[in-house]
Amino acid sequence: IHAGTEPHDYEPSAKDIAKIQDADVFIYNSDDMETWVESALKSVDTSKIVIVEASKGIELLEGTGEEESSEETHAHANDPHVWLDPVLAQTEVKNIRDGLIKADKKHQEDYEKNAANYVGKLADLDEEFSSELKDADNRTFVTQHQAFAYLAKRYDLTQKAISGLSPDQEPTASELAQIEDFVKENEVQVIFTEELASPKIAETVSSATGAKLKVLSPIEGITKEDRKEGLDYIGVMEQNLAALKLVIK
């Protein structure tokens, strides 16, 4: 999936399917994130491809009723955003490591060493989030996109989302009114939006309540510009921590 693409809206082209067929290893997060994978894999010969479901073995949190309903809107029965928890991200790294070793046994030692190094960085990131957020009195944050349940659960925070698990899912008028009331009553100063989805709904709440808009990234696609600057998962998560500290204090 190209840099800067919103993955909830992505559908593979025939050329993309051909790339999967030619690959030695195909890695995806989960059937609940890449909802197209199950049907795509039916049209390729997977006998020579190592398929890695990165979130395998992680217990997914359930979505709400709205997200379970319609396939047209890429509905999610379960919340797929496990990578936003640095501890669960370690499991994903290990699953990817095992897939690469299966496909390329002779470089097993390299994969194991590199994975261990990265798991160590993720453990440090987890420690940083834990220590920076543990003593805060306010533990609630408002987001446009309901992507941060795993992160909230890990660090004992409460996510109040305007939209659903898919960033394009719009709230009803009554749900929007409830959010606006919540923001006003709790004197919420910041609403978090993201880079790849339209901030239109968050802007509506912002103009009705006076709350400022800031970015909290679900890391669903890093732009070409960010890649050129060397920004990666660790870097974006550190930016997310700095953003959260604007309200979790």
Side-chain angles (χ1 to χ4, degrees), residues 115-132:
N117 179 46
Y118 202 70
V119 164
K121 290 181 180 179
L122 292 172
D124 290 344
L125 184 68
D126 168 50
E127 178 57 38
E128 191 178 352
F129 267 79
S130 293
S131 61
E132 293 286 334

Side-chain angles (χ1 to χ4, degrees), residues 183 187-191 202-203 205-213:
V183 168
E187 299 180 357
V188 173
Q189 303 297 311
V190 175
I191 296 169
E203 284 171 351
V205 178
S206 172
S207 61
T209 62
K212 293 191 176 87
L213 295 182

